[in-house]
Amino acid sequence: MAVRRSFWPSKWKLVFAATALGGGASVATIANSDDPATSLKLCTAVPVRLFRLSVTAATIAFDYEYSLMGLPEDSDERVRVKHEVHTRSARRLEELCFKNGGIYIKLGQHVGQLDYLVPLEYAKTMRESMLNRCPTSTYDQVCKVVKKELGGAPQEIFDEFDPVPIASASLAQVHVARTHDGQKVAVKVQHTHMTDTAAADFATVEVIVNTLHRFFPSFDYRWLVDEVRETSPKELDFLNEAKNSVKCMDNFRRLSPHIADYVYAPTVYWSLSTTKVLTMEFIEGAQVNDLKSIQKLGIQPHDISKLVSQTFAEMMFKHGFVHCDPHAANLLVRALPSGRSSIYGRRKPQLVLLDHGLYKELDTYTRTNYAALWKALVLADANAIKENCMKFGAGEDLYAFFTSILTMKPWERVIDPAVDHLAIDDQSELQIYGPEYFSHVTELLHRLPRVILLMMKTNDCLRSVDNALLQSPSLGSFLIIGRVSSEAVIKEKLSHAKSLFSLISIWLEEISLEARFIIMQVALWVLQFRKSLSL
């Protein structure tokens, strides 16, 4: 009981300190507001949100400290208790995100997409709730935003406007409408509270996370707050999102013309779009993980899996302009509008990319080295893997661990020359949340460039989509990644070739690589055929 008595006062000291510091940051942010009405609103809303955050943060922190106190590091009891604390804390964080809304939900969504970078209990809890249960704005609030942005009520600006949203996310919700010339459109309307409280919320969240890190050095997710702080203003600007969608499609036409017809982004209605309202062409299609609807379209999931892998490999390794939020709700599938079929008579898919708010640009150095790393991973080239990991700062001590997170395979499997060495046949094969690995994760997050952290998040989203489509290990995706990354590396080498001898050497390397991928593809077909016979 003595321990318990000393525990709770410490907890409330931390709550008080964090609330005071966060309150100071919030007051400074509110003082910068030019709108008296907004300032008054912030003065009433922010303290309540800050208090919830402070209490939740302190409760989570001390639940870990108190529950694990005295339990041996390697004991089964500690593992069991830690799982329970992770689960309780994830639920508390989930409740906080829904109560505070706005930026908090955005943070929760990021956590839900960071498999293997945060404890699995957090990722699973956030993924299951944050993407499907986002709060909605009332129709009155929607009308106010539309009138302020477009100069009239929805029923005036549009011929038809459905007051019930078809989808809602952390930043906005989408309504179906019809223009006065009869075009069916999707209207994305920003939640009214987003820009009001975003700055103050960021200030308070940052202070709380920094305070927790000071008291508990092993808790260090400052990088996540920094990432959301950097990306959210861009996501809140819907004209920026519209420009991203145009640039994305232009990149496919210029740099990847061989698949440009198979990737699509809805057309933007610029005259009906502002920073807070985005009007786009309405697209009918199946969500990429909706297997029943996909089957009704007469499209094979395997063809969609290949297209998704090809699309994002082209973005990462050739374009250097990457859609970094490719969860299932942002990827639609429809039959190719031209009606073309494969040589087997199957309907060909077209991938429709939605929500272009979050993109990352990779400079030439990062893009080329990231492509070289994936080429080495697919070909199980241990020396090249190490060399390219070191270029990203992983270091002698953590480069193998970095590759394990990228591929979800232990190092021994990563460098195994077998054609199926990267197949994910057991999600629990790599458990990186034992006590012996936590310090590795924290240190690696410090060393890697932030853009690589976002690429890792993108990889996790794509892996989840692939698993939903095929419901079995996908080797074809890795071969596609290997091919596209190799093409990007060869193209970069050719751009720097200064002699005929260099050109010939690079061409021979290209021929050798293509032959190797053909052999791997044949080996994969044989492996799949044998597995089908054994079923």
Side-chain angles (χ1 to χ4, degrees):
M1 287 300 293
V3 172
R4 193 175 186 89
R5 283 195 298 271
S6 64
F7 166 75
W8 283 106
S10 297
K11 169 185 171 178
W12 292 108
K13 286 177 185 177
L14 179 57
V15 172
F16 177 78
T19 304
L21 289 168
S26 300
V27 168
T29 305
I30 294 169
N32 288 329
S33 176
D34 297 327
D35 182 6
T38 299
S39 296
L40 179 61
K41 181 179 179 180
L42 289 173
C43 285
T44 57
V46 168
V48 175
R49 298 156 72 84
L50 170 61
F51 184 73
R52 286 195 202 112
L53 171 61
S54 302
V55 172
T56 301
T59 302
I60 289 174
F62 279 92
D63 192 0
Y64 280 101
E65 191 78 3
Y66 181 66
S67 299
L68 300 176
M69 190 181 299
L71 297 179
E73 282 290 338
D74 298 325
S75 67
D76 292 340
E77 178 68 8
R78 186 181 180 89
V79 172
R80 182 187 65 78
V81 172
K82 180 176 278 192
H83 167 70
E84 293 173 354
V85 179
H86 281 336
T87 302
R88 285 197 300 271
S89 300
R91 293 299 180 195
R92 289 178 181 128
L93 187 60
E94 175 191 41
E95 182 181 4
L96 171 71
C97 290
F98 279 124
K99 282 185 176 179
N100 279 3
I103 291 300
Y104 289 85
I105 289 181
K106 195 66 186 173
L107 281 165
Q109 288 179 342
H110 272 271
V111 171
Q113 294 169 354
L114 290 171
D115 287 15
Y116 322 114
L117 294 182
V118 298
L120 296 179
E121 293 86 350
Y122 284 85
K124 183 179 179 182
T125 298
M126 295 300 162
R127 184 167 55 247
E128 290 176 349
S129 60
M130 293 292 128
L131 294 176
N132 300 316
R133 289 171 45 203
C134 291
T136 59
S137 296
T138 65
Y139 184 58
D140 285 342
Q141 291 172 323
V142 169
C143 289
K144 288 178 182 178
V145 174
V146 172
K147 186 172 183 178
K148 182 178 180 182
E149 296 298 309
L150 299 180
Q155 59 269 28
E156 297 170 350
I157 301 298
F158 300 94
D159 189 50
E160 298 175 12
F161 190 94
D162 190 340
V164 180
I166 58 168
S168 182
S170 58
L171 306 182
Q173 61 193 49
V174 178
H175 294 258
V176 178
R178 195 172 296 276
T179 63
H180 288 297
D181 61 358
Q183 298 299 313
K184 190 176 183 180
V185 293
V187 185
K188 184 175 180 178
V189 183
Q190 195 170 116
H191 294 312
T192 55
H193 61 272
M194 284 307 305
T195 49
D196 292 342
T197 62
D201 283 345
F202 270 127
T204 55
V205 169
E206 187 171 29
V207 168
I208 294 294
V209 171
N210 287 335
T211 303
L212 284 172
H213 176 60
R214 179 180 291 273
F215 279 84
F216 308 99
S218 63
F219 177 94
D220 192 5
Y221 287 96
R222 292 173 294 175
W223 60 271
L224 178 58
V225 177
D226 290 340
E227 185 58 46
V228 178
R229 175 187 285 278
E230 179 184 320
T231 58
S232 287
K234 298 175 184 176
E235 292 186 83
L236 287 168
D237 182 353
F238 290 173
L239 289 180
N240 178 67
E241 177 178 342
K243 292 172 185 175
N244 285 344
S245 70
V246 172
K247 182 175 179 178
C248 175
M249 290 298 97
D250 182 58
N251 283 342
F252 276 101
R253 285 188 291 269
R254 289 187 305 106
L255 304 173
S256 307
H258 53 292
I259 67 164
D261 289 343
Y262 299 92
V263 184
Y264 190 78
T267 301
V268 176
Y269 288 73
W270 293 96
S271 62
L272 296 173
S273 298
T274 70
T275 56
K276 296 182 182 179
V277 174
L278 179 59
T279 304
M280 305 159 285
E281 169 190 11
F282 185 87
I283 301 290
E284 298 279 0
Q287 198 164 290
V288 74
N289 62 350
D290 185 352
L291 293 179
K292 290 184 178 178
S293 296
I294 288 170
Q295 288 169 354
K296 290 178 181 177
L297 292 173
I299 300 172
Q300 295 295 316
H302 180 71
D303 292 336
I304 299 171
S305 172
K306 289 198 299 183
L307 178 56
V308 170
S309 297
Q310 181 91 28
T311 298
F312 282 88
E314 298 279 337
M315 284 189 195
M316 287 188 281
F317 305 135
K318 293 184 180 179
H319 306 176
F321 188 64
V322 186
H323 186 309
C324 289
D325 202 14
H327 58 78
N330 287 338
L331 304 176
L332 294 183
V333 178
R334 63 179 180 178
L336 193 65
S338 67
R340 278 183 284 171
S341 301
S342 69
I343 58 174
Y344 304 106
R346 297 197 299 252
R347 301 185 75 181
K348 289 188 175 183
Q350 184 181 64
L351 182 66
V352 180
L353 302 176
L354 305 178
D355 195 350
H356 297 264
L358 181 57
Y359 271 73
K360 270 293 183 182
E361 292 202 52
L362 279 62
D363 58 42
T364 301
Y365 177 85
T366 301
R367 176 179 60 78
T368 304
N369 288 325
Y370 194 58
L373 173 57
W374 271 103
K375 168 178 168 280
L377 287 168
V378 174
L379 298 177
D381 184 341
N383 291 331
I385 290 172
K386 179 178 179 181
E387 176 187 346
N388 287 286
C389 285
M390 300 283 279
K391 289 178 181 178
F392 289 123
E396 289 271 359
D397 54 335
L398 289 179
Y399 77 88
F401 185 72
F402 177 34
T403 63
S404 293
I405 291 182
L406 278 177
T407 62
M408 291 316 302
K409 291 280 123 185
W411 174 249
E412 294 74 19
R413 287 287 300 276
V414 171
I415 58 174
D416 186 340
V419 69
D420 62 343
H421 71 291
L422 293 181
I424 300 173
D425 39 39
D426 184 357
Q427 289 284 358
S428 64
E429 182 174 354
L430 181 67
Q431 295 291 341
I432 64 171
Y433 281 99
E436 70 274 22
Y437 288 123
F438 190 80
S439 61
H440 291 19
V441 174
T442 303
E443 181 61 27
L444 186 62
L445 296 180
H446 277 302
R447 294 185 191 181
L448 296 176
R450 288 231 305 273
V451 68
I452 296 301
L453 296 181
L454 209 52
M455 290 303 101
M456 292 165 69
K457 172 203 163 187
T458 302
N459 287 341
D460 282 338
C461 289
L462 294 173
R463 186 183 292 119
S464 176
V465 167
D466 208 43
N467 289 341
L469 279 168
L470 301 181
Q471 301 178 334
S472 63
S474 174
L475 295 171
S477 295
F478 282 113
L479 280 183
I480 291 170
I481 289 170
R483 263 203 166 97
V484 178
S485 60
S486 297
E487 290 169 2
V489 171
I490 291 294
K491 184 177 180 180
E492 187 64 24
K493 287 183 178 180
L494 286 171
S495 70
H496 292 92
K498 296 180 179 179
S499 67
L500 180 60
F501 177 79
S502 296
L503 285 172
I504 293 173
S505 176
I506 295 168
W507 286 334
L508 289 174
E509 180 185 356
E510 184 176 16
I511 293 170
S512 174
L513 281 170
E514 184 57 31
R516 189 166 179 182
F517 282 119
I518 290 173
I519 292 171
M520 291 175 71
Q521 182 66 70
V522 172
L524 175 58
W525 286 336
V526 171
L527 184 66
Q528 290 174 333
F529 179 70
R530 287 178 176 173
K531 286 184 177 180
S532 67
L533 291 178
S534 64
L535 293 178

